[in-house]
Amino acid sequence: MEDRKKKTLAGKTKRIMEQIKKGSTSRTKSTALEEMPPQKPPKHRRGKSEWASGQLPSYGRDDAGGRVNQITLFERGQVDIEADLKGLSEKGIDNLRADLAKTDAECEEEIRKAVYDHYQHFIGVTQGIMQLGGELQQLHNLLNNNSAMVAALKSVATPANTTSRLLPLSQLRDEESAAEAAWMAGPEGTKWTETVEEMDVAIAERRPSEALHLLRRADRTLAKLQGLDALSSRTMGQKAALDRRRTQLIAMLEAQMEEPGAGVAEVRAAAQLLSHAAGKARALRAMLDAHTARLSHAQQQLLKPQNSGGGAAEGLDYAGALAQQAFATIAAAAEDVAAVFQKDAPELGAVLLVWSLHEAERFCTLIKRNALSPFAAPAGLAPTVGCCQLAMTQCVALEQSHGLMLAPRLVRDLWPACEQVLQRRVRKTCEAGAASAAADLDAAAARAPGAMGSAPSDWSGLTRLLPSADFILDELQDIVTLMRPMPGPRLGFILKRALSEIFAAYTLGLSAAFARHKRSDGRFPPGLDEMLEGIMEAVTLLAEKFMPQLAASLQGRCESICDGPHLDSCITSLAESLGMTSAG
């Protein structure tokens, strides 16, 4: 075989050499490549020169394929930090950091684009997967129930000595053993044995109502026996046997309530039976746990904003769906408690309220983690307030229909997020207002005297003289309008602080801009000097007319949002910096 391979290879080589001699070089090269066996591409080996500049190897390409090859370096462990980067200079490290950041940004953009292009198809497929998952879960439950029933029927049908199973006769004295055997052979013992066996069959066939009826009958029989001889080994063994079957019945009822496909009637029936088997407190706890499990499963199926583009619309849709699911589940639990525990509903109301508060807190955590975090920017005040408003709407509807006071918990958990976003918005407005005021005064200082005509007498004329004042008014109106839906007494305090901070920053910006243009003789350029009274009039109108109008729009909902003394002090400071004795 080896000799044959050598002869074949020698023949191919001889033919190639003959073609080269004849001058058909191009054909010879292609023929040689076709006839040569395929070779594996050489493994990429990095040299020190590749990392000397601190840049990732580009493989001669800047497209997606080059990025894939660069990422493959790290996935296959071909980058040794100590060996490859040990000799890098500070500039090389900066280049490598910039290259890695560029590659990361490109990969993130491709992932976002892929999600945006395919998320509608993903949503459609997800619905079918959820339906198929529910059917598989039902089939799984059916198979488990049938298997348990077959195993239980097999154990019941197996011949066994019932007396030896229930009563450890080997530990009794001979005299007591004879009495026990005689009792088991009598009518009462036979009835007891039949009751226990029928109970086993009912539990195996998942007939909880019949099993509970048999358990009550056995409890009455055991109560009579305990009245006669409570310390006998037979009575203790029978009590242990009933406790084991009671535990099986309780577990079966709790599993029925937690099944995903269980309806309202099934859950209430199981809770009613469980209250007789284990007590009302245990039944209530199990029913509320079943609602929690069902709610958690539904919440996990919601498409999170970061998985569908991360925009404001996606966040609002997620917040609305999450609020609807959470408060609808709380309402359903309250109705189940009232239906199952009609007489004891007031006593169990405290347990329901604590559970509702816990679910509201968990809802707020999901809202802040998945819906409010993408909006943590100055421009995100509107969607942030929108998410909180959706939650408060559902909460108020629940309070009116079922009397559960959950609004204070939501206000406590959601207000801090709104305050953080509002504070960023206020900070950005202060910076933009000061920059706009400086630009207005720079433009006025460059104008010739009298270029603006006669002194303005209304707000529109003043805003042509000082456009930054109109910008500040628009920002104040926008903030008040956006924050108006938020509930609670904190609204007035927070808005008062925000408006006062913006007005103070604007007047300080005007004072600083005037100070930059002040001459050595204490005077201002002619273009600025002629607009001093107009600027003071515009600032005074903001503080004495427009801001009180904003406060009047919130009358009855919160305290006044205008801090008069603080605004007057800001106007006085501005007048003093301009060399004027009063604000007028």
Side-chain angles (χ1 to χ4, degrees), residues 173-195:
R173 296 190 302 270
D174 294 339
E175 297 82 0
E176 188 176 358
S177 299
E180 298 297 335
W183 184 86
M184 293 299 298
E188 294 183 357
T190 303
K191 185 178 179 181
W192 170 266
T193 303
E194 292 176 353
T195 301

Side-chain angles (χ1 to χ4, degrees), residues 67 139 168 176 310 334 462 508:
R67 287 194 297 275
L139 180 60
E176 188 176 358
L462 292 173
L508 288 175

Side-chain angles (χ1 to χ4, degrees), residues 332-356:
E335 293 172 359
D336 290 344
V337 171
V340 176
F341 311 100
Q342 297 179 358
K343 298 181 179 179
D344 302 311
E347 289 76 6
L348 300 176
V351 179
L352 175 63
L353 179 59
V354 171
W355 174 82
S356 301

Side-chain angles (χ1 to χ4, degrees), residues 118 133 218 229 304 353 391 450:
H118 302 289
D229 189 0
K304 297 179 177 60
L353 179 59

